[in-house]
Amino acid sequence: MMHSDVTVVILAAGLGTRMKSRKAKVLHRAGGKTLLGHVLDTALALAPPERVLVVVGHQAGEVRRDAAAAAGGIGFVEQKEQLGTGHAVSICRDAASGLGGYLMVLYGDSPLLRVETLEQLIAQAKGTSAAGVLLSAVMDDPTGYGRVIRDERGNVRDVVEQKAGTAEQLAIREANMGIYCYRADLFWKHIGEIGTDNPAKEYYLTDMPAILSRAGHAVEAMQIADPNEALGINDRAQLAEVDAILRERKRRQVMRDGVTLVKPETITIDSGVEIGPDTVIEPFAQILGRTRIGADCTVGACSIIEDSVLEDEVRVGAFTMVATSHLERGAQAGPYARLRMENHVEAGAHIGNFVELKKTRMGAGAKANHLAYLGDSAIGAKSNIGAGTITCNYDGYAKHPTKIGEGAFIGSNSTLVAPLEIGAGAYTGAGSVITDNVPADALALGRARQVVREDWARKRRARKEASSAR
Ligand code: UD1
Ligand code: CA
C-alpha cells in the first residue's frame, strides 16, 4: 500500500570499514542488486518518490547515481561528516519537516526488511496516540545492538547503546533494530535536543525515545519474530549470507507463482526477474538482471539469461547464454547457443547448438541449427542458415550488415562477406565465399569447381611401393 503521508529517510552515508573495500558499502550487491537498491524498492513500495530521502556521504556521487538510476524522483541530502545516526536524520529537516505525516527511518545496509513488516510498523504508528514506534526483537545474543528499556506500562523509556550501557542494561535481550516510524511534527520539534553526551561523542538517534518521553509522549516498540530481517551488513561474510537469504526468498516467490525449479538450491534468480507460470527452470540456471520470462517456457541446465525477454513457450536448451535479447513466442535457442547482445528472435525461429548471434534479427520460423556466426544481420522469415555459415561482418575497421531475404537457403559453410544482401528465395552453394549481392531466387556459387583425377591415388601408391622396394 502506498502511504502519501509517510516520509522515508534512508541512512547511507557510512563507508563500511569492515567491507575492506574502495566501494561504499551500500553499493555492494546481494540478490542481484545493490544493497541500497533493495532498500529503495522497499521504501518506494510504501511511500511516493518525492517523500523518499537518501542521506549520502562516503562516495556520495556514486551512491547518488546508483540510487537515481534505480529510482527516479527521490531526494538526496549530503552528510559531509558522519557524526552519528541522529545527525544524519537531523540534516534532512529542511527537506522533510514541512511534509508532515509520519517519518520512517531505514538503513541502506539492511536489505532484508520486508514491506509487510514495515506496513505493520506504519499501521501501529498510525493507530496509536504514541509519538512513534520502533522495531525491536528479542535476541539470544544482542551484543552490539542498542537495548530497549521499557517503563512500567511497556512503553520505551530509553534505548541504551552497547558502549554506554550498564551491566544490568546490557543484560536486556530486547534489541533495537534501528528502524522507526515517528509522528513527523513531534520528531522535528524535538530533534534539536539530541546531543553528543555519550562515550562515542556521536549524535545518537536512539536518544529520541527518552527525549520524547521526557516531553510527555509515549514511544512504543513493535517486536519482530526474526531479528535477521533487520540484519545490517558489516562485512563480506554477512554480504554472502544476505545474498543467500535474498536468493532463497526469490526462489520461493517464483515457485509460489507457479514456476517449477528443478533442484532449486542450485538456481540463481535476481530479484528484478519476472517468470510466468508453468515455466520450468533446470539446475544451475542463472536468470539475471531485468529478465522477463513468460509462461510455459523451459530454461535448460546451466544456462544464463540476462536482461532479456522470453515470451511464452520459448525453449532455451542447456548451456545457453542469452543477453539483452528478445525471443518471441515459441522460439528455441540452444543447447550450447550464445545470443550475445541485442538480438531479436521472432516467433518459432530456431537457434541451434554452437550458433552465435550478435545484433541479429531472426525472422519468424527461420532456422540456424548448427555451428554459425550471425552478426549485424537481418535474417528473413523461414530461411534456412546452413551449418557453418559465417557472416564476415568486420573488416578490421567497421561493422557491416548482412541482409538475407525471406525463405532463402544458405548452403553449409557459406562465408558471407558483408555488406551483403541475399534476395528472398535465393540459394548459396555449400562452401561458397559470397562477396556480391545475390538477387532473389538466384543460386550463387563462390568456390572453385571440383577437379577429379582418375586413378591418381592408385598410381601414387604404386610409385611409393616401387621406390621403397629399391
Ligand atoms: C544503530 C543503533 C542501535 C541499533 C542498530 C541496529 C544508533 C546510535 N544505534 O547502531 O541502537 O541496535 O543500529 O542495527 O542509532 N549512518 C549514517 N551517518 C552517520 C552514522 C550512521 O548515514 O553519521 C548510517 C550508517 O551508514 C548505517 C546506519 O546509519 O547504514 C546505522 O549506523 P551504524 O553506525 O551502523 O549504527 P549501529 O552502530 O549499527
Ligand atoms: Ca550497523
Side-chain angles (χ1 to χ4, degrees):
M1 199 176 117
M2 185 60 71
H3 299 267
S4 56
D5 55 350
V6 171
T7 303
V8 183
V9 168
I10 301 173
L11 305 190
L15 169 65
T17 319
R18 280 174 284 169
M19 294 298 283
K20 305 249 170 74
S21 176
R22 283 187 297 179
K23 196 158 65 175
K25 178 160 71 174
V26 293
L27 293 182
H28 283 264
R29 300 173 82 85
K33 236 182 222 160
T34 62
L35 302 181
L36 181 56
H38 286 282
V39 179
L40 279 170
D41 282 354
T42 307
L44 291 167
L46 295 163
E50 61 275 14
R51 295 191 76 132
V52 174
L53 283 172
V54 184
V55 178
V56 295
H58 278 283
Q59 302 193 8
E62 283 92 331
V63 175
R64 248 177 127 119
R65 256 192 307 278
D66 179 76
I74 59 173
F76 297 93
V77 177
E78 191 165 340
Q79 189 190 26
K80 294 243 156 49
E81 251 186 304
Q82 280 68 62
L83 303 177
T85 48
H87 178 256
V89 181
S90 73
I91 61 169
C92 297
R93 187 184 202 150
D94 287 349
S97 62
L99 298 171
Y102 293 83
L103 175 77
M104 191 157 73
V105 180
L106 303 178
Y107 293 164
D109 61 0
S110 302
L112 294 179
L113 263 180
R114 291 175 309 132
V115 172
E116 302 85 78
T117 304
L118 296 174
E119 281 283 9
Q120 284 171 25
L121 180 71
I122 294 169
Q124 184 165 335
K126 287 186 174 179
T128 175
S129 58
V133 184
L134 66 77
L135 269 193
S136 73
V138 176
M139 300 177 76
D140 292 336
D141 178 12
T143 306
Y145 285 85
R147 307 299 204 284
V148 177
I149 317 285
R150 302 226 191 198
D151 65 16
E152 30 329 306
R153 283 137 118 212
N155 290 323
V156 181
R157 181 152 44 81
D158 201 358
V159 174
V160 178
E161 291 303 298
Q162 178 79 31
K163 282 182 193 159
T166 64
E168 195 190 344
Q169 288 167 332
L170 296 180
I172 293 172
R173 286 171 49 229
E174 185 175 12
N176 172 33
M177 299 290 100
I179 309 294
Y180 319 88
C181 186
Y182 283 109
R183 260 178 56 186
D185 56 347
L186 293 174
F187 183 89
W188 295 117
K189 184 174 170 203
H190 292 283
I191 183 80
E193 294 164 38
I194 294 182
T196 55
D197 183 17
N198 57 63
K201 298 276 172 276
E202 279 184 19
Y203 293 91
Y204 280 165
L205 185 57
T206 43
D207 286 352
M208 257 345 243
I211 290 169
L212 288 165
S213 20
R214 277 201 301 274
H217 305 285
V219 172
E220 297 176 356
M222 183 187 120
Q223 279 189 8
I224 52 173
D226 179 11
N228 276 332
E229 229 193 291
L231 187 72
I233 291 171
N234 294 313
D235 57 31
R236 299 201 194 222
Q238 284 171 329
L239 185 68
E241 278 170 39
V242 164
D243 181 70
I245 294 169
L246 288 167
R247 302 270 180 217
E248 175 62 12
R249 268 192 202 170
K250 183 67 185 181
R251 288 190 292 257
R252 290 192 171 276
Q253 178 227 311
V254 302
M255 289 191 277
R256 271 198 306 276
D257 293 347
V259 177
T260 296
L261 301 185
V262 184
K263 292 197 192 294
E265 67 282 7
T266 66
I267 293 171
T268 302
I269 305 174
D270 280 357
S271 33
V273 168
E274 291 169 31
I275 310 179
D278 287 322
T279 284
V280 177
I281 314 285
E282 294 180 355
F284 294 99
Q286 297 184 42
I287 323 275
L288 308 175
R290 300 185 175 279
T291 296
R292 278 192 292 121
I293 298 181
D296 298 304
C297 295
T298 308
V299 176
C302 300
S303 287
I304 303 175
I305 318 283
E306 188 172 5
D307 293 327
S308 293
V309 175
L310 275 55
E311 295 184 13
D312 295 347
E313 292 165 31
V314 166
R315 297 175 65 93
V316 173
F319 297 97
T320 293
M321 297 173 73
V322 178
T324 60
S325 294
H326 185 127
L327 283 78
E328 288 185 13
R329 189 186 192 95
Q332 296 186 18
Y336 300 102
R338 181 166 188 211
L339 278 63
R340 184 146 59 90
M341 63 198 284
E342 294 170 42
N343 301 291
H344 190 115
V345 181
E346 291 182 16
H350 291 185
I351 311 297
N353 39 226
F354 308 106
V355 173
E356 177 183 348
L357 255 53
K358 190 217 92 182
K359 292 192 181 175
T360 283
R361 186 170 188 110
M362 280 296 276
K367 289 178 181 156
N369 275 332
H370 338 262
L371 300 158
Y373 170 60
L374 303 172
D376 304 301
S377 345
I379 314 289
K382 295 206 173 69
S383 52
N384 188 86
I385 309 299
T389 296
I390 304 290
T391 55
C392 307
N393 60 328
Y394 185 51
D395 59 10
Y397 296 93
K399 303 285 166 67
H400 301 285
T402 300
K403 195 163 175 252
I404 296 176
E406 214 175 298
F409 185 98
I410 307 302
S412 293
N413 217 29
S414 288
T415 301
L416 308 178
V417 182
L420 187 67
E421 277 192 40
I422 295 175
Y427 273 60
T428 68
S432 292
V433 177
I434 305 292
T435 52
D436 298 324
N437 290 346
V438 181
D441 296 319
L443 164 67
L445 290 166
R447 63 187 192 214
R449 179 166 290 279
Q450 182 173 325
V451 175
V452 175
R453 296 196 179 133
E454 298 280 353
D455 267 346
W456 179 90
R458 193 180 53 74
K459 286 176 185 162
R460 180 168 184 265
R461 274 194 301 272
R463 268 200 316 277
K464 291 279 182 202
E465 276 160 29
S467 69
S468 65
R470 238 181 275 137

